[in-house]
Amino acid sequence: MGEVPEGAVGGTRRAPRLVTPHVLEQWPLPEPSGSKYSRGQALVVGGARSTPGGVLLAGQSALRMGSGRLSVAVAESVARHVAVALPECGATGLAEDGRGSVTGVGAGAALARELARADGLLLGPGLDDADGTARLLAEVVQELPADTPVILDAYGVTVLPDVGADTSRALRDRLVVTPNTAELAFLLGEDELDAEDVVAGALEASRRFGAVVGCDTWVVADRRIWQITTGDTGLGTSGSGDVVAGATLGLLSRGATPLQALVWGKYVHAAAGDDLVMTHGRVGYLASELAGHLPRVLRSLRGN
C-alpha cells in the first residue's frame, strides 16, 4: 500500500494528532488539472424557501477550494433567485410544501443526472424540516452511485437516526458528517454534550454511522483523532458551518479522501478566520468573507 502520509496517521484521546501546516504539507492534496469536469463536479442539496443562503455559502466555498463545476438544488420557489445570486452554478428546483420546506418528493428523479456525474454530494445546508430532509436523503441516496462520497450537515446530520436501514447501509464508509455540538448530541440521543464529552461523542457517532466526523476543533475516524490547532471565537458566526461543509466538498470533488478532505477543509476554514482577524478583529467578520479567503490560505499550504 506504500508509505502512509504523516497527516493520515491519527492520534488517540490522550495524544491527538495536532493538525499543523507541516502535517498538511506531508499529506498533499490531489493536484488540480484539466477541465472543469475533470477537476471535480460538486453538488449541494438543501435550501428551504426562507434559508437558501446556506447553499450559496457552501457552493461558493466548494468552488473556492477548487471544484470545477457546481450544481445546487433548492426549494423550487427560490431556485431562480439562487441561480442569479450564484451565477457560477446550475440550479434545480425541488418540491416544497406551503411553508417552503423541501419535501423530498421526487428529488431522486429530479436530480438523477446531477447525482450520476457528481464527484461529491453535500446535503443539509438551509433545510428546515426533519421529515422532508429524511425523505430527501433517502431519495437521493437511492440514485447516487455507490462510490460517490457524501457530506451531511445541519438537518442532514440530525435525521441520520431516522432514515431506513437501506439508506444507512448505503452511506457507511463514504460518509462525512459535520455537526455542531448540539447536533452531535441530538445525533446520539443526548440532551447536550459538555466540552469534555465532544471527542467521545464524535468517536461514537463515527462508529455508529461508519463516518468521518468533524465537530468543533476535532476530526475523528476509525477510532483515531485529529485536532485543528488554529482558529478563534470569530469562527462562531452565522453560516460558518456551511463554509466548512462546502470547503470539504470542494476537496472531495477534487479526489481527496473523506478524511483528508475534512481535515484540510476544517484547517483552511480556521486559518481563513485568522486572516480576517488581522483586518476585522477577533469577531465581526462574515461567513461570506471566510469563503473569499479560502484560496489564499490553500495556496499558502501548497494545496493548489
Side-chain angles (χ1 to χ4, degrees):
M1 295 179 60
E3 184 177 353
V4 177
E6 178 185 347
V9 180
T12 64
R13 291 181 66 174
R14 290 189 176 184
R17 165 68 69 180
L18 301 181
V19 181
T20 65
H22 173 73
V23 166
L24 297 179
E25 287 173 7
Q26 300 302 310
W27 197 8
L29 294 167
E31 188 70 23
S33 62
S35 72
K36 65 181 179 181
Y37 301 104
S38 61
R39 207 172 69 234
Q41 302 187 62
L43 175 59
V44 183
V45 179
R49 182 194 301 162
S50 62
T51 49
V55 168
L56 292 171
L57 288 169
Q60 184 183 68
S61 298
L63 291 171
R64 293 290 191 179
M65 293 293 271
S67 282
R69 180 179 179 276
L70 173 67
S71 298
V72 304
V74 296
E76 189 170 19
S77 61
V78 293
R80 291 183 182 179
H81 305 286
V82 167
V84 172
L86 187 59
E88 297 86 356
C89 79
T92 300
L94 300 175
E96 61 185 273
D97 63 18
R99 297 176 295 115
S101 299
V102 175
T103 65
V105 175
L111 291 171
R113 186 179 181 207
E114 296 299 340
L115 291 165
R117 60 186 179 180
D119 296 300
L121 166 69
L122 166 60
L123 188 147
L127 294 173
D128 63 0
D129 179 79
D131 291 339
T133 301
R135 188 181 302 111
L136 175 65
L137 179 58
E139 286 233 359
V140 164
V141 169
Q142 188 173 10
E143 294 290 336
L144 192 68
D147 59 349
T148 304
V150 177
I151 305 170
L152 297 181
D153 184 55
Y155 261 79
V157 173
T158 58
V159 301
L160 260 179
D162 302 318
V163 298
D166 289 346
T167 300
S168 294
R169 200 161 36 244
L171 288 169
R172 290 192 70 86
D173 302 323
R174 58 162 166 170
L175 179 62
V176 176
V177 296
T178 54
N180 60 31
T181 53
E183 290 162 351
L184 179 60
F186 187 90
L187 184 63
L188 298 172
E190 303 288 344
D191 291 332
E192 61 181 21
L193 291 175
D194 294 331
E196 59 268 23
D197 297 327
V198 169
V199 172
L203 285 165
E204 172 57 20
S206 176
R207 182 199 65 79
R208 191 178 300 181
F209 299 103
V212 180
V213 179
C215 184
D216 197 19
T217 62
W218 305 98
V219 175
V220 306
D222 297 324
R223 300 186 298 278
R224 310 304 291 178
I225 302 168
W226 292 256
Q227 184 175 21
I228 307 303
T229 58
T230 192
D232 197 14
T233 187
L235 293 170
T237 188
S238 181
S240 185
D242 301 313
V243 174
V244 174
T248 303
L249 174 66
L251 297 178
L252 273 181
S253 72
R254 284 176 48 181
T257 66
L259 173 60
Q260 185 186 31
L262 185 55
V263 170
W264 268 84
K266 285 183 71 68
Y267 187 93
V268 171
H269 165 261
D274 292 344
D275 262 10
L276 287 163
V277 166
M278 304 301 293
T279 54
H280 293 273
R282 292 182 65 206
V283 297
Y285 54 81
L286 307 179
S288 56
E289 292 168 327
L290 282 168
H293 278 250
L294 298 176
R296 194 207 68 79
V297 174
L298 194 61
R299 185 176 68 248
S300 74
L301 297 167
R302 301 177 186 175
N304 64 1

